[in-house]
Amino acid sequence: MRIAVSAVQGAFIEHEQMLSSLGVECFELRQRADLLRSFDGLVLPGGESTVQGKLLRELDMFDELHQQIRAGLPVLGTCAGLILLAEQLSNDPNVYFGTLPVTVRRNAYGRQLGSFYAEESFQGQGVVPMKFIRAPYIESVREGVEIMARVEGNIVAVRYHNQLGLSFHPELCSDTRIHQLFLSLVGQGSSSAA
Ligand code: GLN
């Protein structure tokens, strides 16, 4: 099993460290040539979604990744990564991959007061630590989307077939359960395409 981590911008190193600590091979996607390697899952890290979306397009990586996600490649999108996956943003006209049928609000907690920590239950995992940084949340979900976690009533984690989208940053906590959940999707293969 090999995981590709988008490394054009943002908190990708922490994902790599966590995957490595779980004994999983991963590599960075920095340029188009990196897409020639085969991989079984993709991580879209937190950071700045506008910058990441722009760079993925400019580096000519966007269409290939889009096609692979649509074809069922397991993907973990955290924070900005969730924004890249969302079908619609309620406060931004941009759409990036648009493969996850949810509406997401960017910087939903405000820009300055947007960083906080919570511990909440996550579907099938018990209570997990969650770090939020200028985080989005999911305002609404469409058919087939499984809600995995809420914080104060707001949806902060969803799963839709091969896609796991999170408002928070599991890679910034020492708890590895969310990454293990993602790896279990990767282990199941790409049979359940979106
Ligand atoms: N506010 C960022 C955005 O809109 C996301 C923040 C994050 O990834 N921590 O892209």
Side-chain angles (χ1 to χ4, degrees):
M1 177 190 294
R2 189 158 55 190
I3 306 296
V5 180
S6 170
V8 295
Q9 190 269 340
F12 50 89
I13 288 168
E14 291 85 351
H15 279 290
E16 291 168 33
Q17 287 168 344
M18 188 155 272
L19 291 167
S20 300
S21 80
L22 292 169
V24 175
E25 187 188 346
C26 52
F27 70 100
E28 296 180 351
L29 295 177
R30 288 181 171 274
Q31 53 187 347
R32 176 149 180 97
D34 298 326
L35 289 169
L36 295 172
R37 298 181 70 176
S38 71
F39 49 97
D40 310 295
L42 169 69
V43 174
L44 298 172
E48 215 31 66
S49 53
T50 38
V51 176
Q52 292 185 19
K54 186 168 177 283
L55 285 172
L56 287 172
R57 284 202 172 100
E58 281 177 10
L59 294 164
D60 196 20
M61 300 164 81
F62 187 88
D63 290 345
E64 172 68 21
L65 289 175
H66 195 187
Q67 191 273 325
Q68 292 207 36
I69 296 168
R70 273 195 308 222
L73 177 73
V75 55
L76 171 64
T78 60
C79 210
L82 163 69
I83 294 168
L84 293 184
L85 291 173
E87 189 178 81
Q88 188 180 36
L89 305 175
S90 61
N91 56 348
D92 187 321
N94 288 306
V95 176
Y96 301 95
F97 294 119
T99 49
L100 183 61
V102 300
T103 300
V104 166
R105 171 164 288 269
R106 289 186 65 199
N107 300 310
Y109 299 94
R111 279 185 175 272
Q112 302 308 324
L113 300 171
S115 300
F116 61 96
Y117 175 82
E119 291 181 2
E120 281 296 337
S121 60
F122 191 105
Q123 184 69 40
Q125 306 296 322
V127 172
V128 301
M130 302 176 180
K131 228 174 224 178
F132 294 82
I133 303 172
R134 292 177 296 108
Y137 63 62
I138 298 156
E139 284 187 337
S140 60
V141 304
R142 284 173 273 296
E143 206 185 322
V145 177
E146 189 182 355
I147 296 172
M148 308 296 278
R150 293 178 189 262
V151 171
E152 288 174 3
N154 298 314
I155 303 166
V156 297
V158 292
R159 179 187 167 188
Y160 181 68
H161 302 288
N162 53 316
Q163 303 173 63
L164 197 54
L166 312 173
S167 297
F168 59 94
H169 289 265
E171 78 286 3
L172 300 181
C173 299
S174 54
D175 194 301
T176 59
R177 281 175 291 170
I178 303 291
H179 284 79
Q180 284 173 301
L181 172 66
F182 168 59
L183 294 172
S184 76
L185 296 184
V186 177
Q188 285 163 23
S190 57
S191 51
S192 47

